[in-house]
Amino acid sequence: MKALDLLLNRYSCARLAAPAPEGAELEVIWKAGLRAPDHGGLTPWRFIHVSGEGLSSLSSIFAKAAEAEEGDHEKAKAMPFRAPLITIVIASPKVHSKVPEIEQVLSAGCAVHAMQMAAFAQGYNGIWRTGPMAYSPVVNQQLGLSETESIVGYLYLGSAQTKANKPRELDFKDYVSWL
Ligand SMILES: Cc1cc2nc3c(=O)[nH]c(=O)nc-3n(C[C@H](O)[C@H](O)[C@H](O)COP(=O)(O)O)c2cc1C
């Protein structure tokens, strides 16, 4: 797939099923994440791979969080099973005199996008999700995040089960100005 075709025609898919990327395909996805722009070369990210039994473990964590935080327990429990594979992307900022935390969180966000595009380029699809489970102290604790780390996204990956929605037609003239 040509780079510009990918950038201009990419789309997300929320309905995902097996097969999911594995082996060398998965390694390409992670390598793409590691090519995200990174001020100071701080590698301010880490990824947690969740598939198979891991989805059940994540489901238990979500259920525990929903219970503790008065969320919808059943809904939370079902969430991880919306795809055969989830990569949890964690911003792991380092203390640095010239690179503020926000830049490092942005880098981790770029890693999510790069990985989604690497999956798309290999014939898979996915969706970047957050929601309450991305901002839950219980989830953070259960996943072993440090005080300074945060979840920037759950990247759900697999094979698309629905056709692409017609993308919004945005006109660049509404968003670009010239100085
Ligand atoms: C930081 C971030 C968090 C998001 N969280 C959710 C989410 O929790 N649930 C959801 O349905 N879409 C979420 N989205 C949006 C989808 O990933 C996707 O971009 C959107 O459905 C538009 O589809 P498209 O990528 O095909 O344009 C999020 C996007 C970003 C950038």
Side-chain angles (χ1 to χ4, degrees), residues 35-57:
R35 284 296 304 129
D38 175 12
H39 191 180
L42 300 176
T43 59
W45 48 59
R46 60 189 183 92
F47 315 139
I48 301 178
H49 172 81
V50 187
S51 66
E53 281 304 301
L55 294 170
S56 301
S57 305

Side-chain angles (χ1 to χ4, degrees), residues 10-12 127-131:
R10 61 150 296 274
Y11 60 92
S12 303
I127 184 165
W128 178 350
R129 294 184 185 272
T130 49

Side-chain angles (χ1 to χ4, degrees), residues 104-177:
Q104 301 187 47
V105 175
L106 287 168
S107 280
C110 289
V112 181
H113 189 58
M115 288 194 279
Q116 188 175 353
M117 295 309 92
F120 193 88
Q122 296 182 93
Y124 297 97
N125 209 323
I127 184 165
W128 178 350
R129 294 184 185 272
T130 49
M133 295 299 132
Y135 308 112
S136 156
V138 173
V139 173
N140 287 0
Q141 188 265 327
Q142 292 283 313
L143 291 175
L145 269 67
S146 73
E147 284 297 310
T148 56
E149 291 182 320
S150 58
I151 293 170
V152 295
Y154 294 93
L155 180 58
Y156 286 67
L157 294 173
S159 299
Q161 299 302 293
T162 49
K163 288 210 173 109
N165 289 327
K166 196 171 162 358
R168 285 187 296 172
E169 288 191 19
L170 301 177
D171 188 336
F172 70 85
K173 291 192 222 62
D174 296 333
Y175 301 91
V176 181
S177 60

